Amino acid sequence: MTPETISWKDDHVVMIDQRILPHKVNYVVCRSHYDVAKAIKNLVIRGAPAIGCAAAMGMALGALRIKGKGTAIFLKELKKIGGVLVRSRPTAVNLSWAINRMLKLAQENAHQTVEELQQTLVAESLKILAEDIDTNRRMGLNGQSLINDGATILTHCNAGALATGGYGTALGVIRAAVEAGKRVKVIADETRPFLQGSRLTAFELTCDDIPVTLITDNMAGHVMKCGYVDAVIVGADRIAANGDTANKIGTYMVSVLAKEHAIPFYVAAPLSTIDLSIKNGGLIPIEERDQKEVTHLSGKIIAPQQVAALNFAFDVTPAANVTAFITEEGIIRPPYQEAFSSLFNSR
Ligand code: MRU
């Protein structure tokens, strides 16, 4: 089984260090919301739902440090804590979703004492983690119906247990298909530059004895053309109201290739990843990271000293390239704008 991504221990948070997997299994201890913000920024913890769980626990840690003041000041301080956490990464909407949920709960319980509010927030962060795992299992059950026995699924980045509270979104669908007795093989894109595919997806699937074959990102077109891929399943960081989907850099390229080869392209994501306040993908903030992640590999330079590099961490797949969204509430097919509105209106 894949080791736990994140957990709450007494008065601190423990995260598996995803920067050094699979060679070393090490844990990072966070004692404050500053530690959590740093861990999110430095990719100790990554993946949209896992970032949401970490942010919730970061809010709880921050809340525990607000001592001996009245509720009004507590709520003001909590807002500031949310401000620190929300600035850690821009693309995954689960981050602000979790922070806003924690802030709203605190405001709704403004009649409580500071000590009671602190416990309410710790409990809520644990609830968010438990709900995430449950959501992934429901998503898996819904999505596995789309996978045929004997299918080979290509995935990009890591949308597995490590990217979530546990079980995974895209990999959760694969796990559910395996649990339903289907023989499933996975092709994992290595996912340059952070190598979430080779380091994390291949690690997770190997832990679970699910057959996985690694390819470099630029092999995806060839393997599709040769008929090795029956479906693509990826996760998402933010889904706009029209269905345009931000996910790990390279996902857009995979979606274009899937369309060219008439291969179904599925996005598995919880409803918390859908951001109805954003009309289309062009408005989704795309994180740019340090050039060194491209010019260096394991600390060693792999390009000429002064060369400039672009390092966009995400790209946007147009809704037209998405065959369907797999969510905890079911499979959503186009037209997405209408489907999302009726789903959210009925909740
Ligand atoms: O930069 P990362 O590793 O946080 O990017 C992660 C992804 O793009 C995942 O595919 C996405 O967050 C979905 S995780 C269930």
Side-chain angles (χ1 to χ4, degrees):
M1 241 182 70
T2 311
E4 221 172 15
T5 310
I6 181 167
S7 58
W8 181 276
K9 302 258 188 287
D10 303 324
D11 61 350
H12 60 273
V13 172
V14 178
M15 301 173 184
I16 193 163
D17 190 345
Q18 302 199 26
R19 298 168 301 179
I20 52 175
L21 282 173
H23 308 295
K24 282 187 197 154
V25 180
N26 246 353
Y27 291 86
V28 169
V29 172
C30 297
R31 298 190 183 276
S32 70
H33 62 283
Y34 293 111
D35 291 347
V36 173
K38 192 170 152 203
I40 294 173
K41 194 177 173 62
N42 295 343
L43 309 182
V44 168
I45 191 159
R46 31 66 50 199
I51 291 173
C53 296
M57 289 191 182
M59 291 292 281
L61 280 179
L64 288 179
R65 289 179 136 219
I66 310 171
K67 291 238 156 39
K69 294 166 186 158
T71 302
I73 296 181
F74 178 89
L75 292 176
K76 221 171 146 189
E77 291 296 311
L78 195 66
K79 230 177 165 180
K80 284 191 205 156
I81 291 165
V84 170
L85 286 161
V86 85
R87 283 191 290 278
S88 54
R89 289 190 83 188
T91 304
V93 73
N94 309 60
L95 179 68
S96 54
W97 172 86
I99 293 167
N100 291 336
R101 175 163 156 177
M102 297 289 277
L103 285 173
K104 188 165 170 265
L105 184 76
Q107 273 145 14
E108 283 165 1
N109 287 283
H111 57 276
Q112 292 186 348
T113 64
V114 167
E115 290 70 25
E116 285 169 344
L117 273 171
Q118 287 168 331
Q119 291 319 310
T120 299
L121 291 170
V122 171
E124 187 70 3
S125 73
L126 295 176
K127 194 172 163 204
I128 287 177
L129 178 67
E131 275 177 17
D132 186 56
I133 300 169
D134 179 62
T135 295
N136 291 338
R137 289 201 171 267
R138 284 162 58 205
M139 203 184 299
L141 285 179
N142 291 334
Q144 68 85 21
S145 61
L146 300 168
I147 300 182
N148 294 327
D149 184 27
T152 298
I153 312 294
L154 183 140
T155 191
H156 191 75
C157 192
N158 171 262
L162 291 164
T164 61
Y167 201 68
T169 58
L171 296 194
V173 173
I174 290 163
R175 285 193 165 99
V178 171
E179 284 163 18
K182 296 177 190 173
R183 288 158 303 161
V184 180
K185 288 185 195 149
V186 177
I187 294 179
D189 287 349
E190 72 173 349
T191 320
R192 277 269 294 155
F194 192 65
L195 306 178
Q196 288 94 332
S198 56
R199 295 189 308 100
L200 307 176
T201 294
F203 169 69
E204 273 196 30
L205 294 174
T206 308
C207 284
D208 280 5
D209 288 327
I210 298 174
V212 55
T213 303
L214 189 62
I215 60 168
T216 59
D217 300 326
N218 50 2
M219 290 180 193
H222 182 70
V223 298
M224 286 187 193
K225 195 172 179 191
C226 291
Y228 296 147
V229 180
D230 298 301
V232 175
I233 310 181
V234 296
D237 284 82
R238 194 186 294 236
I239 301 165
N242 71 344
D244 291 350
T245 298
N247 191 49
K248 179 52 51 194
I249 192 75
T251 304
Y252 168 51
M253 191 169 72
V254 174
S255 79
V256 172
L257 287 168
K259 198 170 193 182
E260 169 72 16
H261 297 288
I263 294 167
F265 181 95
Y266 300 115
V267 174
L271 296 185
S272 55
T273 306
I274 300 174
D275 184 357
L276 293 185
S277 76
I278 290 222
K279 272 195 192 152
N280 61 62
L283 300 168
I284 298 176
I286 299 293
E287 178 182 11
E288 283 189 66
R289 296 186 61 85
D290 193 332
Q291 297 182 20
K292 273 200 179 147
E293 289 179 357
V294 175
T295 56
H296 290 62
L297 199 59
S298 307
K300 278 201 181 134
I301 190 153
I302 54 165
Q305 280 288 348
Q306 300 304 333
V307 76
L310 288 174
N311 189 9
F312 292 108
F314 299 95
D315 59 26
V316 175
T317 295
N321 291 4
V322 179
T323 310
F325 288 94
I326 301 165
T327 76
E328 68 272 34
E329 295 291 339
I331 311 292
I332 304 179
R333 295 196 181 266
Y336 297 123
Q337 186 108 33
E338 288 82 340
F340 290 164
S341 326
S342 60
L343 184 64
F344 279 86
N345 288 337
S346 67
R347 297 180 92 220

